[in-house]
Amino acid sequence: MTDTPAIHGIIAYPVTPFTPDGQAIDTAALAALVERLVDAGAHAIAPLGSTGESAYLSEAEFDTVVDTTVGVVNGRVPVIVGASDLTTANTIRRAQHAERAGADALMILPVSYWKLTDREIAQHYASVAASAGLPIMAYNNPATSGIDMSPELLVQMFTDIDNLTMVKESTGDLTRMQRIKALSAGQLPFYNGSNPLVLDALNEGAAGWCTAAPNLRPQPCLELYRAVRAGDRAGAQQIYDDLAPLLRFIVAGGLPTTVKAGLQLLGFDAGDPRAPLLPLDETGRAELKAILAQLPE
């Protein structure tokens, strides 16, 4: 079994900043954003998930984001690279680049035009695992991938594939996490990827919260995690109630779009999302500005 690094807590997902013309990665802005997240106390950094617009990057851009992020973090916290792609071959390429760059783990979402069978999904993960030595976080997010992995399949792959050591569950269905916990007898760490579900997921025993929210308001996210771990249910509930409008807004409006708009409102320009995504409209920006004003920095 591949050893899993101590990945827990607030796993922050940075956006991928683009230059003003949208044609290249703004590496200086990316480095500054990652530094902000680490300095704020994030327990891990996860570039190139849905928030990082990985589906819209060229391979050279993907590699640039990996190299920049790993270099800035410099071993201070774990780096979990989203290495997902449509084909197994290119997922392997991305995974191998992340491993060479010094990442600590991989996050892999099965993506396909054709609906994949469980056998095809398992073979996809097994092929990637055989080609890279890093621990793998299986990422279940049918809303973006069109593929829904059952708890039974996830636990079976955990049993069969040495490198597959973690699961990020993003369906927003708490019973999925409960089922993973029961089927694996508590041996398979699961992480919450549904922002509005975070309090219930942490109370259920999620090892961490994978979220883009720390780009905008890191401290309430960290305080929520600490309150749950300390058993302060009333305090955790209050923090969650304060955070909930932001969490619902960024999910409903699309993470790259809303988080980049929020960063601009905070004086940090990460560029616009890449087409076909569009910048947040003025009505949305006004609503987001009001939400941020109600939250402590």
Side-chain angles (χ1 to χ4, degrees):
M1 179 70 70
T2 299
D3 290 335
T4 302
I7 296 172
H8 69 280
I10 301 304
I11 303 170
Y13 282 64
V15 296
T16 298
F18 296 119
T19 54
D21 62 6
Q23 298 303 304
I25 306 296
D26 185 338
T27 55
L30 175 60
L33 180 58
V34 171
E35 187 65 41
R36 278 166 52 126
L37 292 169
V38 175
D39 285 348
H43 299 102
I45 303 295
L48 297 164
S50 304
T51 303
E53 298 179 72
S54 60
Y56 304 125
L57 302 183
S58 69
E59 293 310 294
E61 289 173 331
F62 175 94
D63 294 352
T64 294
V65 173
V66 172
D67 297 344
T68 301
T69 303
V70 172
V72 171
V73 172
N74 195 28
R76 289 175 290 172
V77 295
V79 174
I80 310 165
V81 170
S84 310
D85 192 66
L86 186 65
T87 68
T88 299
N90 206 48
T91 303
I92 288 172
R93 192 213 71 80
R94 291 182 165 195
Q96 290 176 337
H97 181 84
E99 184 173 27
R100 287 193 300 271
D104 298 283
L106 304 168
M107 182 183 69
I108 295 177
L109 174 78
V111 183
S112 183
Y113 178 88
W114 293 104
K115 183 177 180 180
L116 300 179
T117 65
D118 284 359
R119 183 171 67 93
E120 289 166 332
I121 293 168
Q123 184 59 58
H124 177 68
Y125 277 101
S127 296
V128 178
S131 302
L134 295 178
I136 293 173
M137 176 185 285
Y139 177 18
N140 190 44
N141 190 357
T144 58
S145 71
I147 296 171
D148 190 0
M149 295 184 287
S150 68
E152 288 76 10
L153 174 60
L154 290 165
V155 173
Q156 188 61 54
M157 291 194 299
F158 169 67
T159 301
D160 294 342
I161 302 170
D162 283 349
N163 298 40
L164 199 154
T165 61
M166 304 167 277
V167 168
K168 175 185 173 184
E169 235 298 329
S170 296
T171 58
D173 181 354
L174 187 65
T175 64
R176 298 292 191 97
M177 299 182 189
Q178 294 168 334
R179 186 71 176 151
I180 289 167
K181 186 177 178 180
L183 287 169
S184 70
Q187 296 303 301
L188 174 53
F190 59 92
Y191 298 76
N192 175 60
S194 171
N195 283 297
L197 189 68
V198 57
L199 182 56
D200 289 340
L202 290 175
N203 283 332
E204 188 60 37
W209 175 20
C210 304
T211 176
N215 288 280
L216 305 179
R217 285 292 186 262
Q219 291 311 312
C221 299
L222 292 159
E223 289 165 7
L224 175 60
Y225 177 74
R226 286 192 289 261
V228 172
R229 288 296 177 262
D232 180 6
R233 286 188 172 263
Q237 185 67 58
Q238 183 60 60
I239 297 166
Y240 173 78
D241 290 343
D242 291 342
L243 261 176
L246 176 64
L247 302 181
R248 289 193 293 265
F249 184 89
I250 62 176
V251 171
L255 294 172
T257 295
T258 55
V259 172
K260 285 188 170 182
L263 285 168
Q264 290 170 353
L265 289 170
L266 296 175
F268 188 103
D269 190 359
D272 292 331
R274 183 165 276 177
L277 301 179
L278 292 173
L280 192 63
D281 61 25
E282 289 306 313
T283 300
R285 288 174 68 89
E287 183 178 352
L288 180 54
K289 184 177 181 179
I291 291 171
L292 290 172
Q294 299 301 312
L295 281 170
E297 296 185 12

